[in-house]
Amino acid sequence: MQERHIVVQRHMSAAAGSVWPVLADFPNLARHWDGLRGTQAIGEQTSGVGARRHVDLKPVGSMDETVTAWDEGRRIATRNRPSRSVPFKAAESSLTLEPEAEGTLATFDYRYVPRGGPIGRLTGPLIDKMLTATFTDMLAATETAARASG
């Protein structure tokens, strides 16, 4: 099955120094964004490469995420292992912050492999649309949290 790729960007009216702490609160994403049922750390490490979290998705399903890159103040990347009820079998993400004159450009890059062989090829565009809306909402919530705290 061929990998699919989505990129979502948002020009945030918050400085990168205010956005980063929201992202760096890695095990607590659900505190800042109601698009999830919950998040919690897996193990003692909560930041940096190797940190892990369990994510309970809405409306169903879950995934475990492991940080694969942590560039303090600038970028977090993860490898994601979804439960069987999620319509894709593996994913990787990267969220990058770039300071701008009036705030921050946030870029969320997501790559995933749909489940289902030939059926997965048919459902891929629908999953893309769903994930694009989800990630657009996540970036908006991140901006709101950053502005509230910063």
Side-chain angles (χ1 to χ4, degrees):
M1 174 55 62
Q2 186 174 1
E3 176 182 88
R4 299 192 62 88
H5 184 211
I6 299 166
V7 176
V8 176
Q9 292 188 310
R10 183 175 181 91
H11 295 276
M12 298 182 176
S13 60
S18 296
V19 177
W20 179 257
V22 175
L23 300 176
D25 188 16
F26 183 72
N28 299 307
L29 177 61
R31 240 187 239 166
H32 311 292
W33 177 41
D34 67 3
L36 303 170
R37 290 183 294 137
T39 53
Q40 64 185 18
I42 299 172
E44 299 295 317
Q45 184 178 349
T46 60
S47 64
V49 172
R52 298 176 67 218
R53 72 178 167 201
H54 179 78
V55 180
D56 291 314
L57 304 169
K58 280 187 180 177
V60 297
S62 64
M63 72 173 56
D64 291 341
E65 299 179 327
T66 302
V67 175
T68 57
W70 184 283
D71 183 1
E72 188 74 27
R74 186 171 185 291
R75 178 174 173 258
I76 294 176
T78 64
R79 183 181 63 249
N80 310 324
R81 298 292 174 235
S83 66
R84 299 220 30 94
S85 59
V86 175
F88 47 92
K89 56 186 172 184
E92 293 182 353
S93 71
S94 176
L95 200 151
T96 304
L97 303 178
E98 297 176 45
E100 296 184 311
E102 300 296 321
T104 304
L105 174 63
T107 302
F108 191 72
D109 188 292
Y110 201 75
R111 297 172 185 275
Y112 73 96
V113 178
R115 292 189 192 277
I119 299 295
R121 279 192 282 281
L122 296 173
T123 61
L126 296 172
I127 297 169
D128 289 354
K129 186 175 181 177
M130 175 196 71
L131 290 175
T132 298
T134 297
F135 299 145
T136 298
D137 184 56
M138 179 189 69
L139 292 180
T142 300
E143 178 182 12
T144 298
R147 291 182 67 190
S149 67

